[in-house]
């Protein structure tokens, strides 16, 4: 391979890498807005999860269980108050990501909320799990096959997703 | 016996948007329930969801066609730890809405053994089908499904198992003539 060809290959690889980074940042921005809105609403900050960037990158490359993109934020030691359901819904609305409430499963010690939105040809789900003093937010971008599984039994998938 | 897969759902969307107005006292039942599930799919969400149904799979393709005529699917279900946690009066206002001239009960199945009572109602507007409602009461479970839009009752069998709608075999049940 000549010097010019090597340079071309390097340039192409660099371009692909940069484009994928831009795409991932775009997806993260929407998620960051949700995290920021929840942080402001409940006066808290999410936990730092070491190496989660690697997990997200692996999901983007390997698409485990049809997940093309994955983001996670965990808020702990929250004083949710009596109106947490309303406050949380308000925070997600404020994030302005076009999130539509889709499924809600409520159990005595746990509530799972699933929101859905469209991003170009893809579909994104926001799965919010609320337990005593803890809120976990997961954003998933799914491929069509994985999305079909969700559409078959959205409530069962919501609960199963949390149990994973 | 109509087999209903339990769905427990709570809808965030404004209840006013639904064909069947769910009474506020249903929210109070949520406090007693061991599981509450709400699935909300308005026309926009249905349109989005239908894009993910395969055209190649015959079942999915059929469901996709049905969904094209729908304006919304709303499921709300409560599961309780023991019988008697809810009263028939809790769903009186739902029944009242379904006992208006626009609605006709097309399937009704009552099982004395299990205490399950399943009813399917059809709404007609100017000779056209405008919606469908399913009401399932069991000693420890209550499920209300509202489907808005054009749907043939027989299509309910195909739609069951998608979007959180319980499987309801109306053809089998009516065929046995248990209750019409």
């Amino acid at each position: 391979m000549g010097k010019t060809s090597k340079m071309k290959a390097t340039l192409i690889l660099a371009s692909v890498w940069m484009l994928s980074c831009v795409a991932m940042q775009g997806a993260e921005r929407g998620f960051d807005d949700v995290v920021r809105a929840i942080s402001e609403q409940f006066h808290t900050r999410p936990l730092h999860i070491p190496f989660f960037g690697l997990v997200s990158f692996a999901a983007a490359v390997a698409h485990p269980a049809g997940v093309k993109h994955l983001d996670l934020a965990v808020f702990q030691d929250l004083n949710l108050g009596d109106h947490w359901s309303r406050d949380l819904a308000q925070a997600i609305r404020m994030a302005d990501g076009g999130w539509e409430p889709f499924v809600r499963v409520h159990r005595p010690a746990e509530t799972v909320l699933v929101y859905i939105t469209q991003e170009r040809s893809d579909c994104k789900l926001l799965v919010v799990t609320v337990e005593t003093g803890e809120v976990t937010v997961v954003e998933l971008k799914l491929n069509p096959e994985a999305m079909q599984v969700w559409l078959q039994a959205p409530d069962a998938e919501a609960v199963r997703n949390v149990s994973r | 016996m109509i087999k209903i897969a339990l769905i427990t759902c709570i809808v965030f969307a404004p209840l006013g948007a639904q064909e069947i107005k769910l009474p506020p006292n249903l929210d109070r039942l949520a406090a007693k329930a061991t599981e509450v599930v709400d699935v909300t799919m308005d026309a926009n969400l249905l349109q989005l969801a239908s894009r993910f149904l395969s055209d190649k799979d015959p079942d999915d393709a059929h469901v996709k066609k049905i969904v094209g005529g729908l304006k919304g699917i709303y499921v709300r279900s409560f599961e309780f730890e023991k019988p008697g946690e809810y009263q028939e009066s809790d769903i009186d206002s739902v029944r009242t809405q379904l006992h208006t001239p626009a609605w006709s009960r097309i399937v009704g199945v009552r099982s004395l053994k299990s205490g399950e009572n399943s009813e399917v109602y059809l709404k007609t507007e100017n000779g056209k089908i405008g919606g469908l409602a399913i009401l399932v009461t069991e000693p420890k479970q209550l499920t209300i499904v509202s489907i808005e839009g054009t749907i043939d009752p027989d299509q309910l069998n195909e739609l069951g198992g998608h979007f959180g709608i319980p499987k309801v075999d109306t053809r089998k049940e009516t065929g046995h003539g248990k209750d019409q």
Side-chain angles (χ1 to χ4, degrees), chain A residues 22-84:
Chain A
V22 168
M24 282 178 76
Q25 277 176 354
E28 281 166 10
R29 260 202 303 276
F31 182 74
D32 285 348
D33 289 342
V34 172
V35 171
R36 196 176 304 114
I38 292 174
S39 299
E40 285 171 9
Q41 187 76 43
F42 295 102
H43 310 290
T44 184
R45 290 180 65 82
L47 288 182
H48 173 66
I49 304 168
F51 303 112
F52 188 75
L54 278 177
V55 177
S56 190
F57 181 74
V61 173
H63 296 183
V67 177
K68 295 162 81 174
H69 180 79
L70 176 71
D71 258 318
L72 167 72
V74 180
F75 301 88
Q76 284 189 328
D77 302 323
L78 293 178
N79 184 11
L80 289 168
D82 292 339
H83 304 293
W84 65 264

Side-chain angles (χ1 to χ4, degrees), chain B residues 54-113:
Chain B
S54 168
D55 286 318
K56 292 172 187 170
D57 182 291
D59 288 341
D60 277 4
H62 196 59
V63 170
K64 196 172 184 174
K65 197 176 167 187
I66 297 168
V67 167
L70 299 183
K71 295 176 186 168
I73 296 174
Y74 306 93
V75 185
R76 180 174 284 201
S77 182
F78 302 85
E79 188 174 341
F80 303 95
E81 195 174 9
K82 55 183 190 290
E85 295 279 19
Y86 76 94
Q87 309 299 322
E88 280 293 311
S89 58
D90 290 321
I91 48 172
D92 272 353
S93 73
V94 176
R95 288 190 192 281
T96 305
Q97 292 173 66
L98 295 171
H99 289 163
T100 53
W103 290 92
S104 317
R105 194 175 84 152
I106 56 167
V107 177
V109 180
R110 181 181 288 275
S111 167
L112 291 175
K113 193 176 173 186

